[in-house]
Amino acid sequence: MRFLHTSDWHLGRSFHRVGLLGAQAEFIDHLVGTARERDVDAVVVSGDVYDRAVPPLAAVELFDDALHRLADLGVPTVMISGNHDSARRLGVGAGLMGRAGIHLRTEPSACGTPVLLPDAHGDVAFYGLPYLEPALVRDEFGVERAGHEAVLAAAMDRVRADLAARPSGTRSVVLAHAFVTGGEPSDSERDIAVGGVASVPAAVFDGVDYVALGHLHGCQTLTDRVRYSGSPLPYSFSEAGHRKSMWLVDLAADGSVTAERVDCPVPRPLARIRGTLEELLADPALTPHEEAWVEATLTDPVRPADPMTRLTERFPHTLALVFDPDRPPDDPDVSYARRLAGRDDQQIAEDFVAHVRGAGPDPHERTVLRDAFDTVRADQAAREVAR
């Protein structure tokens, strides 16, 4: 069986105020064309179809167009909800759409119920594990402590139990939206840490032939059988080094996997440039970036006059301007943003406690802070589900 593995479309998202709907429509054209030209048997979409729980109408229309075109090709599509999606909204009409070959998996309770797609060698069971917010699904899976590893392990127990009851030789594909250990994150993914832990080990998914992951925006191979497709478009300048693509996966009769990267069209390359304003305006080595979307970091000791206007004369698609004067880290004038760079909410809170009372929090206080952050994040997730 040959299938396309993609994820993290984030329909409706913009890039530093630049609308991407046209580029996202171009990606859908590319997806449908690839499915047709490469004789694809199925398409899998591993979550974050939309960028937010209540997407704009234009994004919904583009999604609808994509599903109609795939259905018209006769290519079955299996799709799960991600942490940006409203699972309830995305899943509306799932039963009816399933009759057209569009299989939406948004209910945690259905993790162990596969979509069965046959080929010449028998059935392939596609199991959809939508994003599982631990605080909201712990009762469904009967876990004592809400955590990503616990709920995913329980969901995978259901998958393996169902697979064990099927005829010998049934091949299996799992779609999951999660942060798996070894994956490389970028700046554009929403934090999903619970209890200070965001990632789960790849071993959670043992026992299936292929795991089609979503959530991280870089295309990555964790093992031959566990891969991220990444997002089809860049959504932050931290993705400047990404090669945006999908996986074209061939699943043989014996369950062995071969995968080929299929590049996606991107509207412009990304470039991160750094230096004083005069250096950036004069450096001939930066000529290849003149038509790119640019993030410029200025290192001038004093903020220069009218820097954006001057930069856009050479780099007309400059979208982000950062000031980071070259100063020692202990300089009192180092920016607040620079001091916080690379720190999560828990670390920032602990540093604040240390600053105001002269000593950091003790283990009990750290637990209280962690539980508070988890409660707020879970409450936000519950509010999105209810919208």
Side-chain angles (χ1 to χ4, degrees):
M1 178 163 292
R2 168 172 288 184
F3 59 91
L4 275 174
H5 165 200
T6 178
S7 73
D8 295 274
W9 294 358
H10 289 277
L11 299 180
R13 189 163 182 161
S14 60
F15 184 78
H16 290 267
R17 303 175 306 282
V18 175
L20 291 178
L21 202 65
Q24 291 172 333
E26 188 176 351
F27 162 69
I28 296 300
D29 290 341
H30 172 68
L31 171 70
V32 174
T34 301
R36 181 192 304 112
E37 294 159 13
R38 301 300 296 269
D39 294 322
V40 166
D41 300 306
V43 171
V44 301
V45 186
S46 299
D48 281 354
V49 175
Y50 293 120
D51 190 56
R52 55 182 185 266
V54 184
L57 179 59
V60 177
E61 290 173 339
L62 180 56
F63 176 62
D64 181 65
D65 176 64
L67 298 190
H68 274 87
R69 293 170 68 183
L70 289 168
D72 288 344
L73 279 181
V75 176
T77 298
V78 185
M79 183 177 297
I80 61 173
S81 49
N83 62 301
H84 279 251
D85 299 309
S86 165
R88 291 175 63 185
R89 288 177 180 270
L90 188 64
V92 169
L96 187 61
M97 283 188 276
R99 300 178 191 176
I102 305 297
H103 306 279
L104 297 173
R105 291 293 184 264
T106 63
E107 291 291 335
S109 59
C111 286
T113 304
V115 176
L116 296 176
L117 300 179
D119 67 6
H121 308 289
D123 284 339
V124 178
F126 288 80
Y127 296 91
L129 278 57
Y131 173 66
L132 301 175
E133 173 58 47
L136 303 183
V137 302
R138 59 181 298 180
D139 292 338
E140 166 66 32
F141 292 105
V143 298
E144 292 183 4
R145 182 171 178 80
H148 288 293
E149 184 173 354
V151 296
L152 275 170
M156 282 301 301
D157 285 344
R158 295 187 183 184
V159 168
R160 285 185 283 262
D162 180 86
L163 191 59
R166 297 193 175 275
S168 176
T170 300
R171 290 155 292 158
S172 54
V173 175
V174 165
L175 290 70
H177 196 86
F179 185 175
V180 178
T181 304
E184 183 66 33
S186 61
D187 293 343
S188 53
E189 298 117 8
R190 185 180 294 169
D191 181 24
I192 60 171
V194 174
V197 179
S199 64
V200 300
V204 165
F205 299 102
D206 285 353
V208 297
D209 295 310
Y210 184 80
V211 182
L213 292 174
H215 180 56
L216 300 185
H217 290 179
C219 182
Q220 301 170 61
T221 301
L222 304 186
T223 75
D224 286 344
R225 296 182 183 275
V226 182
R227 300 172 187 262
Y228 282 100
S229 67
S231 61
L233 293 170
Y235 294 118
S236 70
F237 275 104
S238 66
E239 299 166 57
H242 288 189
R243 173 186 162 196
K244 294 302 181 181
S245 56
M246 305 177 286
W247 287 112
L248 182 67
V249 181
D250 285 303
L251 187 61
D254 62 356
S256 59
V257 171
T258 56
E260 172 191 346
R261 287 182 72 174
V262 178
D263 290 336
C264 295
V266 293
R268 288 186 186 279
L270 306 185
R272 290 179 127 173
I273 59 178
R274 180 184 178 91
T276 67
L277 179 59
E278 296 304 326
E279 288 170 346
L280 298 184
L281 293 176
D283 188 352
L286 300 181
T287 300
H289 303 317
E290 290 178 353
E291 294 303 315
W293 278 328
V294 168
E295 176 193 71
T297 299
L298 299 183
T299 60
D300 302 75
V302 177
R303 184 178 301 225
D306 209 9
M308 182 62 88
T309 299
R310 296 176 66 190
L311 274 171
T312 53
E313 290 176 358
R314 182 179 185 189
F315 306 101
H317 305 289
T318 301
L319 299 182
L321 189 58
V322 179
F323 294 96
D324 188 18
D326 283 332
R327 293 171 177 156
D330 57 352
D331 190 310
D333 291 330
V334 169
S335 72
Y336 182 68
R338 185 173 174 182
R339 293 200 302 272
L340 297 186
R343 300 188 178 200
D344 59 26
D345 291 340
Q346 178 84 15
Q347 293 169 320
I348 293 169
E350 291 182 12
D351 287 348
F352 177 76
V353 172
H355 172 72
V356 297
R357 77 177 186 193
D362 61 31
H364 172 70
E365 291 168 331
R366 287 192 181 94
T367 300
V368 170
L369 284 170
R370 185 177 301 116
D371 289 346
F373 284 122
D374 288 348
T375 299
V376 169
R377 193 183 50 75
D379 181 64
Q380 290 173 336
R383 289 174 183 269
E384 287 199 2
V385 168
R387 292 176 72 181

